Amino acid sequence: MSLIDVRNLRTWFPVRKGLLQRVHAHVRAVDDVSFTINKGQTLALVGESGCGKTTVGKSIVRLVAPHEGQIIFQDRDLLEMDSKELAPYRQRIQIVFQDPANSLDPRMLVRDIIAEGIRSFKLAQTNAQIDARVVDILNRVELSKDVMHRYPHEFSGGQRQRICIARALAVEPEFIICDEATSALDVSVQASILNLLKGLQTEMGLTYLFITHDLSVVEYLADQVAVMYLGQIVDEGTTDEIFSNPKHPYTQALIRAAPGLDPERQQLDELLGEVPSPMDPPPGCRFHTRCPQLMRRCNSEEPDFYPVAGGRCRCFIHDPSK
């Protein structure tokens, strides 16, 4: 059963130019993105830096305003809600950011950071009840109650990220967006955080959108993978299918370039040139300017999603009518 269904999401940012500050163009950070995440599962959203992954996550929690589309959460469209209607959904949907040092208020004690959401959503009344909830949440993220009366700067990066996860868990969410939640951490610390997230998912029935550019963590955590390029999803399928038999040329190149994923690893030399600007994406297939399997129609026609084993792919190679 699906928990969240994102349909045709577009999030564009205006680029202003001139003395009158008129809109000159738009950065098409997210441009027609759709996906579904089933309850209790993890969708990994992967791609190069700047492809729009983080903007997707921020659009879901309304930290940025989408241009159009639908975000259906348990049969309700979050984009049709005003701030009052949206308030209870902010409890059910939480986000964990990439840099824990910058996402924790350095002036607040850990106890107050975690208790802030508990108070806001009236999940406990007295200070004793709040303290008990904070201690319970700290235990869940494998931190002792002694950390309650310390400040964020007193902890390592991995410990700070556990505090961020505790803050998200404190309001009893159903869906958590992990935005590059392990990319700022050492490899050994990454592993412990991934193990923690996986254990919490089993224990609490959580659903994750895991945003990352690191394919090595995806294979361990995700049930489904969606690959983004220049604001669009170009490849989507089960984790096993994406890694064992990638369908899109971009996905194939990413996996070849990821350390340890391909025993016959090559450099990413097939992808010529730079990623085009999202303010002026190329016509036709957006990947055609770098694609090693370019066909004539790719320059002018935009490919649909075509069904493939285990998922779907936005590439003419898989067009059944070709």
Side-chain angles (χ1 to χ4, degrees), residues 214-265:
D214 186 353
L215 287 171
S216 63
V217 306
V218 171
E219 202 168 13
Y220 172 71
L221 190 67
D223 301 289
Q224 300 278 329
V225 179
V227 180
M228 280 193 74
Y229 182 80
L230 202 61
Q232 294 184 335
I233 292 176
V234 297
D235 205 355
E236 185 178 2
T238 64
T239 303
D240 287 344
E241 192 67 31
I242 289 289
F243 280 89
S244 65
N245 188 21
K247 305 299 191 302
H248 197 281
Y250 178 59
T251 309
Q252 294 166 5
L254 287 182
I255 290 176
R256 277 195 295 270
L261 291 184
D262 190 334
E264 300 178 358
R265 183 189 171 209

Side-chain angles (χ1 to χ4, degrees), residues 9 23-24 30 35 43 53 67 75 101 142 166 168 178 181 190 208 223 228 239 248 263 278 282 286 298 308 313:
L9 182 67
V23 174
H24 173 64
V30 177
F35 58 81
L43 172 70
K53 307 184 302 295
H67 187 70
D75 300 325
E142 301 170 4
C178 299
Q190 281 186 11
Y208 294 139
D223 301 289
M228 280 193 74
T239 303
H248 197 281
R286 294 191 178 185
C298 302
V308 295
C313 181

Side-chain angles (χ1 to χ4, degrees), residues 194-205 208 220-221:
L194 290 172
N195 286 332
L196 174 65
L197 290 170
K198 197 161 189 175
L200 289 168
Q201 184 173 44
T202 301
E203 178 186 348
M204 304 176 69
Y208 294 139
Y220 172 71
L221 190 67

Side-chain angles (χ1 to χ4, degrees), residues 3-73:
L3 180 71
I4 188 161
D5 188 5
V6 176
R7 302 175 186 171
N8 308 112
L9 182 67
R10 286 185 168 86
T11 303
W12 295 1
F13 299 108
V15 177
R16 301 185 182 276
K17 185 176 181 180
L19 295 176
L20 298 179
Q21 291 290 291
R22 293 178 178 172
V23 174
H24 173 64
H26 286 87
V27 175
R28 301 179 184 183
V30 177
D31 201 21
D32 195 18
V33 163
S34 300
F35 58 81
T36 298
I37 311 177
N38 290 332
K39 186 174 177 59
Q41 293 198 334
T42 299
L43 172 70
L45 190 61
V46 304
E48 294 170 286
S49 296
C51 71
K53 307 184 302 295
T54 291
T55 304
V56 170
K58 289 182 175 180
S59 298
I60 291 173
V61 294
R62 299 271 294 269
L63 289 179
V64 297
H67 187 70
E68 62 181 43
Q70 295 178 297
I71 300 172
I72 309 298
F73 186 83

Side-chain angles (χ1 to χ4, degrees), residues 112-128:
D112 297 326
I113 289 171
I114 298 173
E116 191 171 29
I118 296 172
R119 287 197 188 95
S120 296
F121 292 108
K122 297 181 173 59
L123 299 177
Q125 304 302 318
T126 68
N127 285 333

Side-chain angles (χ1 to χ4, degrees), residues 163-177:
I163 294 168
C164 291
I165 294 169
R167 176 176 59 184
L169 294 176
V171 297
E172 301 176 353
E174 300 171 54
F175 177 55
I176 297 180
I177 299 166

